[in-house]
Amino acid sequence: MATTTAPPDLTVQTSEGTVRGTLADGVRTWRGIPYAAPPTGEARLRRPRPVQPWKGTLDAAHYGPVPPQERGLPSMGAGRKTPMDEDCLTINVTAPLHNAPPRPVLVYFYGGAFTIGAASSPAYDGRNLVKHGDVVYVCMNYRLGALGWMDFRRYSTPGRPFDVNVGLADQVAALRWVQRNIAGFGGDPDNVTVFGESAGGMSITALMCVPSAEGFFHRAFVQSSAPATAYGPGLPEKWAGTLMGLMGVREQDAPDALATLSAQRLVEAVGRLTRRVTPESEPGARAVAPVVDGEFLPLHPIDAFRAGKAHRIPLVIGNMFREGALFDRVQDILPTTVERIDTMFARTEPELKDQVLAAYPGYPARRAAVDVGGDAVFWLPSVQVAEAHSAHAPTWSYRFDYAPRMANLLGMGATHAMDVPAVFGNYDDGVGRFLTLAGGRRTAVSVGNRFRGALLRFARTGSPGLWPGYNTGTRTTKIFDSTDRVMLDPHRARREAWNGYRGFR
């Protein structure tokens, strides 16, 4: 007797209304689902508010507009014709063809220095994760730049208050939506793994220290975070004033300006602030970042991890071999010159300068200076998180050393963001395709399969497998390369030289 298979269920009832998805390339997708009310009008620069339920069925066939940002390559978030709007708080779900016993859920936070990025970027297409990993994949938009990551509370008035950490609060609202609704898409709300790269990784290490996010995710896989990138009090207020000055806005006019200025005007001013001002005045700091406000984010993340007050969930955290090399060539915002490094130490821990720089043979040569900047911003605080969290919850450390031939030809090696096509298995287009144009595709795919396999095992079991956990005795670290290996305490001399460094806190 012939058997028939029920058609995939594309209509799902969410807590706000019914959504209908699409079927393509062997997966089901739902795109552009609102998870919070539009953050516009009086809701601009305020914490996200609940969505008003809708009537009928929402057609979830298309991505929502991307958050306001500078336009560039579509793979970075916003191409020349990409729809863009402040009304951007939408979430996307990709799931296997049929619901089965609830599947692990992977929630991705995109990078982009908190100023660019979007869930619709083809770089973050989760189809390979879903098809080969048997998981449910989620990615959401969150507010960027001044509209999401700056502190304008000094300009609040009784009639026009401004909140802080609204971009971080967007992410919490999205995770809350996942808890309420993911079962309808075949996901397990009790098995949610968050993962993210760069600003996405920073978001996760901050969210692990946000009390209102507790219980919304159960595991964290963190790529190239800069966990020390959170500030307050002092610097965020200063940067807000600098931004107003860059736009020619007087102090007394700031409340009205923040309520009425176009998003494009704010985007342009943030670009000047983050590329021209802070790299020289506070090298290594980011003017758009989580704010230690004493309430939503009560403690600096490094301090929270050390005090055991971060959410005690399994954590995988790691970095690229040379994080700073990308910024030296593409986005000149790190302390990768002698002048910026001198300023960085003068503004933070001047007594450590000679000790740290002695651990970088060849300094002040350019390569050594680039490594100082990359280590200060990315590697060192990631090590600090790993060593602190390992005292309270299972923790694993990795380093991604593999560089496709093109990356070596460009003089960057295994640098920032080159693990993104690896974790998604997307080497057929965009950055992944470019990196393999000069050859080495087979090896790149193989390394990516192993790296992605660690993420998927972690999501299923709570352990990435294949290498021991991290502790301050051995500091065991997995090295992903053309041939993987395990090392004990990589860069020990550098780590010890940086001991006591706190940065711009």
Side-chain angles (χ1 to χ4, degrees):
M1 182 177 178
T3 60
T4 60
T5 301
D9 188 359
L10 299 176
T11 301
V12 176
Q13 179 66 44
T14 74
S15 52
E16 290 77 34
T18 304
V19 296
R20 182 178 58 248
T22 59
L23 180 65
D25 195 25
V27 297
R28 297 175 294 161
T29 63
W30 296 265
R31 295 170 173 172
I33 305 171
Y35 68 84
T40 57
E42 292 185 356
R44 182 190 252 194
L45 294 172
R46 302 300 307 275
R47 300 268 171 85
R49 301 174 182 181
V51 176
Q52 289 297 315
W54 56 83
K55 296 180 181 179
T57 298
L58 178 71
D59 182 5
H62 304 287
Y63 291 115
V66 305
Q69 60 191 279
E70 293 182 341
R71 294 186 181 274
L73 297 174
S75 61
M76 298 303 294
R80 187 166 57 90
K81 297 182 179 180
T82 306
M84 183 183 298
D85 199 282
E86 284 189 62
D87 182 4
C88 61
L89 300 184
T90 59
I91 199 164
N92 314 308
V93 180
T94 305
L97 288 179
H98 297 281
N99 289 349
R103 293 177 168 95
V105 180
L106 286 173
V107 180
Y108 187 71
F109 295 91
Y110 53 76
F114 297 117
T115 56
I116 60 173
S120 53
S121 167
Y124 313 136
D125 189 320
R127 282 176 293 178
N128 286 328
L129 287 168
V130 170
K131 289 194 291 186
H132 303 300
D134 197 33
V135 297
V136 174
Y137 171 73
V138 178
C139 192
M140 86 296 295
N141 286 335
Y142 56 85
R143 282 174 279 182
L144 297 171
L147 293 170
W149 300 90
M150 293 192 72
D151 186 359
F152 297 114
R153 288 175 295 173
R154 63 187 278 190
Y155 303 120
S156 289
T157 67
R160 192 64 175 88
F162 300 117
D163 293 328
V164 68
N165 284 319
V166 297
L168 204 58
D170 290 345
Q171 296 171 347
V172 175
L175 290 168
R176 186 180 292 112
W177 185 94
V178 169
Q179 284 297 304
R180 290 198 310 265
N181 295 298
I182 205 64
F185 299 87
D188 184 355
D190 295 321
N191 184 5
V192 175
T193 298
V194 293
F195 70 121
E197 186 270 341
S198 193
M202 296 179 228
S203 297
I204 293 170
T205 47
L207 287 167
M208 290 180 68
C209 306
V210 171
S212 61
E214 187 170 14
F216 290 167
F217 56 99
H218 312 97
R219 295 158 189 161
F221 192 100
V222 178
Q223 302 166 238
S224 296
S225 179
T229 305
Y231 314 98
L235 281 175
E237 294 88 345
K238 171 191 170 182
W239 290 327
T242 301
L243 188 78
M244 293 296 105
L246 289 171
M247 295 188 293
V249 175
R250 298 180 303 173
E251 184 87 6
Q252 62 268 32
D253 297 330
D256 288 339
L258 288 169
T260 60
L261 282 173
S262 70
Q264 184 60 34
R265 183 91 178 274
L266 290 166
V267 166
E268 291 170 355
V270 162
R272 295 197 299 272
L273 176 65
T274 57
R275 286 197 297 268
R276 301 176 190 174
V277 178
T278 51
E280 305 303 330
S281 60
E282 290 88 24
R286 289 291 298 168
V288 285
V291 175
V292 183
D293 61 0
E295 177 215 351
F296 192 83
L297 182 60
L299 296 173
H300 189 280
I302 301 296
D303 296 334
F305 276 100
R306 285 176 170 166
K309 294 187 177 181
H311 307 320
R312 298 187 177 191
I313 59 173
L315 170 67
V316 176
I317 186 167
N319 296 94
M320 302 299 294
F321 182 55
R322 297 195 69 224
E323 292 279 7
L326 176 75
F327 300 92
D328 183 46
R329 296 299 181 91
V330 177
Q331 193 177 22
D332 184 24
I333 59 174
L334 293 191
T336 53
T337 66
V338 171
E339 294 76 16
R340 288 183 184 175
I341 290 169
D342 286 346
T343 301
M344 178 184 75
F345 280 108
R347 294 288 313 280
T348 56
E349 278 82 31
E351 70 279 4
L352 292 178
K353 175 185 170 183
D354 291 342
Q355 172 182 301
V356 169
L357 298 182
Y360 291 81
Y363 187 86
R366 187 67 174 171
R367 181 182 176 92
V370 167
D371 288 341
V372 170
D375 285 0
V377 174
F378 294 102
W379 172 73
L380 173 67
S382 294
V383 169
Q384 292 171 336
V385 165
E387 62 189 15
H389 196 60
S390 66
H392 306 284
T395 304
W396 292 264
S397 173
Y398 75 85
R399 194 179 74 198
F400 197 100
D401 282 19
Y402 177 70
R405 191 172 302 162
M406 180 64 77
N408 289 322
L409 290 174
L410 293 172
M412 294 189 291
T415 191
H416 194 75
M418 289 188 183
D419 55 343
V420 173
V423 80
F424 281 99
N426 294 340
Y427 280 106
D428 292 330
D429 51 30
V431 173
R433 183 173 182 273
F434 172 76
L435 287 173
T436 55
L437 282 178
R441 176 183 168 84
R442 180 178 298 178
T443 302
V445 169
S446 177
V447 177
N449 287 342
R450 298 195 298 275
F451 189 55
R452 187 167 61 259
L455 167 66
L456 293 169
R457 279 190 299 275
F458 185 60
R460 285 193 297 267
T461 70
S463 167
L466 305 182
W467 82 93
Y470 188 93
N471 62 66
T472 54
T474 61
R475 300 181 184 269
T476 304
T477 302
K478 171 82 168 193
I479 309 298
F480 287 96
D481 205 341
S482 51
T483 300
D484 295 349
R485 60 195 185 278
V486 172
M487 294 183 67
L488 304 182
D489 201 2
H491 291 317
R492 177 180 175 179
R494 291 188 188 179
R495 177 183 60 77
E496 292 178 341
W498 284 98
N499 188 42
Y501 184 79
R502 290 174 53 83
F504 289 95
R505 279 198 247 166

